[in-house]
Amino acid sequence: MLKSEVWRERIFTAALPIRAFVLALIGAVVLLLVAVYGVQHSTYAIYAMGAIVMALVVITRQDEIAVVLIIATHLYVDWYLGYEVIGVLMALGLLLAFFLSRSPQTLRYSWTRPRALWLWALFLVLTIYPAFQGARTLGDALYYYPNIIVGALLFFWLGMVIAQDSVRLHRLFNLFAGLGTLLAIHTLVQATTGITLLGSAHVNSYIIEENGGLMGGTVQRYGSFLMNPDWNGTFFGIALVLPLGLFVVSTSVMAKILYSIEIFLMAAALLATYSIGGWIGAAAGLLVFIFCAGRWRYCIFIGLVVAIVALIMTVSFPSQIQLEMQHAANPVGLSLRNGAWQTAIQVIRAHPLFGIGLGMTTYLLQSEPYRVLAQFVPLAHPHDSYLELGAMAGLPALFVFIANLLFALWQAWRNWLQADTNLRTLIGCGLACAIALTVNSVSINGWTLPPLAAMVWLILGACASPLLIKKRQNSNKLT
C-alpha cells in the first residue's frame, strides 16, 4: 500500500472520536439556540437532531443505514412535507464523502463508477432544455431535473458504491425491508384508525379529498406518506419481494418468522391501497424473483410461501379482496387511463424532439389542445412514466432513459450469472424490485416519482455494482 494511502486511513480513523465529539458539541449548541426561540420552532430542533444523527452515522461508517435514512428523508421530508431536494443533496454529500475517503488498497473504502457514464451524461444534457421549458413553478423546477434526472444517476451511483460485498447487500436489503414494514404498519394504522402518524394537517386534507373511496365513497383508500394510494401500492409491490428473498437466504428460524411477519404486513398494506397496478407490479416482481432465486428448490419453496400468504389473505380479508376485484373491473377508471395515454401520444406526435417541457403545470396546460374525449378531465401527467418522459422531454430523452435502465439491468444480470447461490438470491431481489417498478410504470408514474425512483435506482445500482463480483473473486484467489 502507498504511504499516502496508509496515512490517509490513519488520519481518517484517528479523527473519528474528535469529529464525533465536535459534531455533538455543535449539535448541542444548535439545539440550545433553537430552544431559545420557543416551542413554535420545535420542528427546527427535530431537523437539527436528525442532521446530527445522520452526520454521526456517516462518520462511524454505517453506510447502509445512511442511505436508507436518505431514502426515508426523501420520502417524508421531500415528498410528504414538500421540501423537494433535501434527500438529493444528502445523497450528493454522501457520495462526495465516499469519493474523498476512497482507497484502492482497502476493501472498506473501495470506489467505483457507473459504466457507460457518457450515456448518463447524454441523458443529463438532453433534458436541460425541457427542464427550463417546463419550469413554470418552483415546484416543477425542483421536481423533475434535480430528482428524476440527476437523482437517478446519484442514487444509482450511490448504490454501486454501497454494495461492497454480499454481506453489505444483505444488510442494505434488511434495512429496506424494515423501512417497508414501518410504512406498512403506518398504512394499516391509518386504515384502522383514520389517524396519520407524524402527519401534516395540510397534507391530510389533500389525502381525504383526493383519495377517492370505492363503492360510492364508502370505502377509503390509503396512501400513507406517499399520499396517493396508487403510489403507496406501487411501493409495497416493490418492497414485498425483499423480505421474501431474505426469508429464502436466512438460516435462522427466528429470522424466518420475522420475515414472514414482514411479508404479511406488506401484503395487508398493499391490500389497503386497493391498487391494481401495485398488485400487477408485485406479481411481475415475484415471477422474476422465482426465476432468479438460484435453485429450483428455492423456486418451489417461494411458490409455496406465496400460495400460503395468498390463502391467508383470502381467508382474513374476503371483503377487501372482493372490493379489489370490483375496482379492477371499473370501466370509468380504465377509460380515463386509456384516454390519458392517447393524449400523451398525441403530444409526442406534435413535439417529438424536446416535448412540451418537464413540468406538471406545463403538461396540464399544454396538453389541453391534444386531449382526447376519453380523458374527460385535465391531468397533470399521463399516468405512464414512459409516455410522461416522451411527452415532456421528447423521444430522444425517453430512448436514452430506457437505454440507461436496460444497461443497468444487464449489469445486474451479469453479476447474477457470476454470483454464488445466496448472492444470486439477493441480486434476484433487486432485479425483481426493478422489474416490478418497470411494469407498474405503465399504469402510473413510477419511474418519474422521486421517492420510488430513488429507492429502486439505489437497489439496482447495488445489484449492478462491479465490487460485488470483484471482491468475491479476489477473496477466492486469496483462499
Side-chain angles (χ1 to χ4, degrees):
M1 183 184 298
L2 298 176
K3 289 185 177 181
S4 60
E5 297 290 343
V6 174
W7 279 106
R8 180 166 60 184
E9 290 187 25
R10 288 179 179 177
I11 292 172
F12 184 83
T13 305
L16 285 179
I18 300 174
R19 292 182 182 182
F21 175 76
V22 172
L23 190 59
L25 183 62
I26 294 173
V29 173
V30 169
L31 291 177
L32 181 62
L33 290 175
V34 168
V36 171
Y37 284 94
V39 179
Q40 66 271 23
H41 297 288
S42 59
T43 304
Y44 297 149
I46 296 174
Y47 292 160
M49 180 63 73
I52 292 169
V53 170
M54 183 66 189
L56 288 173
V57 167
V58 173
I59 286 175
T60 54
R61 297 299 302 204
Q62 302 299 316
D63 301 336
E64 298 81 14
I65 297 177
V67 295
V68 174
L69 285 176
I70 289 175
I71 295 297
T73 301
H74 201 41
L75 169 61
Y76 181 73
V77 177
D78 291 343
W79 182 249
Y80 182 76
L81 298 181
Y83 286 83
E84 300 288 355
V85 294
I86 303 299
V88 173
L89 293 176
M90 292 171 66
L92 179 61
L94 184 60
L95 191 62
L96 181 61
F98 289 158
F99 175 77
L100 294 176
S101 61
R102 71 194 186 283
S103 173
Q105 303 298 328
T106 60
L107 296 178
R108 183 63 178 171
Y109 307 114
S110 295
W111 173 259
T112 187
R113 64 178 180 82
R115 294 174 179 149
L117 199 55
W118 63 270
L119 198 58
W120 283 103
L122 183 60
F123 184 52
L124 297 180
V125 171
L126 284 174
T127 49
I128 290 176
Y129 175 72
F132 278 107
Q133 187 183 16
R136 290 175 178 262
T137 66
L138 179 62
D140 283 338
L142 296 178
Y143 182 95
Y144 276 98
Y145 199 79
N147 285 288
I148 304 304
I149 310 302
V150 178
L153 173 58
L154 283 179
F155 286 106
F156 180 72
W157 199 336
L158 196 57
M160 297 189 82
V161 177
I162 285 292
Q164 303 277 323
D165 50 50
S166 60
V167 174
R168 300 183 69 180
L169 185 64
H170 186 280
R171 191 181 304 143
L172 178 66
F173 285 179
N174 251 311
L175 291 169
F176 270 126
L179 177 62
T181 303
L182 290 177
L183 287 176
I185 293 172
H186 187 270
T187 301
L188 294 173
V189 169
Q190 191 180 50
T192 53
T193 66
I195 298 173
T196 303
L197 302 175
L198 301 176
S200 164
H202 171 69
V203 177
N204 289 347
S205 64
Y206 164 83
I207 292 173
I208 295 173
E209 180 181 353
E210 297 294 331
N211 291 357
L214 302 176
M215 302 295 292
T218 58
V219 179
Q220 185 73 17
R221 305 172 66 198
Y222 297 95
S224 185
F225 293 135
L226 283 149
M227 298 184 286
N228 187 295
D230 289 326
W231 297 332
N232 200 29
T234 299
F235 174 84
F236 291 121
I238 296 166
L240 186 60
V241 73
L242 293 175
L244 182 60
L246 295 168
F247 181 96
V248 171
V249 300
S250 174
T251 57
S252 168
V253 175
M254 290 302 299
K256 287 185 180 294
I257 294 174
L258 174 63
Y259 297 137
S260 300
I261 294 172
E262 291 181 344
I263 293 169
F264 179 80
L265 289 173
M266 288 189 200
L270 176 55
L271 189 61
T273 67
Y274 296 97
S275 172
I276 305 304
W279 283 110
I280 293 174
L286 286 173
L287 288 175
V288 171
F289 179 63
I290 289 173
F291 177 78
C292 298
R295 290 180 182 174
W296 281 110
R297 64 183 180 90
Y298 284 0
C299 299
I300 297 172
F301 183 70
I302 294 167
L304 289 174
V305 171
V306 172
I308 292 171
V309 172
L311 179 62
I312 293 174
M313 297 293 293
T314 303
V315 173
S316 303
F317 308 104
S319 60
Q320 287 88 342
I321 292 177
Q322 184 179 3
L323 285 171
E324 193 87 47
M325 296 298 102
Q326 293 177 6
H327 177 50
N330 183 6
V332 177
L334 294 174
S335 176
L336 177 60
R337 194 61 54 92
N338 184 52
W341 296 340
Q342 292 181 40
T343 299
I345 292 172
Q346 296 298 325
V347 173
I348 292 173
R349 286 176 177 172
H351 305 272
L353 291 181
F354 295 103
I356 58 176
L358 284 165
M360 292 189 180
T361 305
T362 299
Y363 187 83
L364 187 66
L365 298 174
Q366 297 295 327
S367 66
E368 275 300 292
Y370 310 98
R371 180 151 65 99
V372 300
L373 292 177
Q375 184 189 318
F376 51 84
V377 294
L379 294 173
H381 58 84
H383 290 268
D384 181 305
S385 288
Y386 314 108
L387 293 177
E388 182 177 343
L389 284 173
M392 293 186 182
L395 290 178
L398 171 61
F399 293 152
V400 174
F401 171 82
I402 293 175
N404 275 313
L405 177 58
L406 291 176
F407 189 64
L409 289 170
W410 177 80
Q411 291 176 82
W413 173 252
R414 193 173 66 171
N415 280 353
W416 184 88
L417 291 174
Q418 301 177 63
D420 56 27
T421 303
N422 284 342
L423 183 55
R424 275 191 172 189
T425 304
L426 294 176
I427 295 176
C429 280
L431 284 168
C433 290
I435 295 300
L437 184 61
T438 300
V439 171
N440 193 267
S441 293
V442 174
S443 63
I444 197 64
N445 51 335
W447 279 116
T448 47
L449 196 80
L452 296 178
M455 183 181 77
V456 180
W457 275 122
L458 195 146
I459 290 174
L460 187 54
C463 295
S465 176
L467 299 176
L468 281 176
I469 303 302
K470 181 180 178 181
K471 290 192 173 183
R472 186 180 67 86
Q473 292 173 345
N474 290 341
S475 62
N476 289 340
K477 289 179 181 179
L478 292 175
T479 56

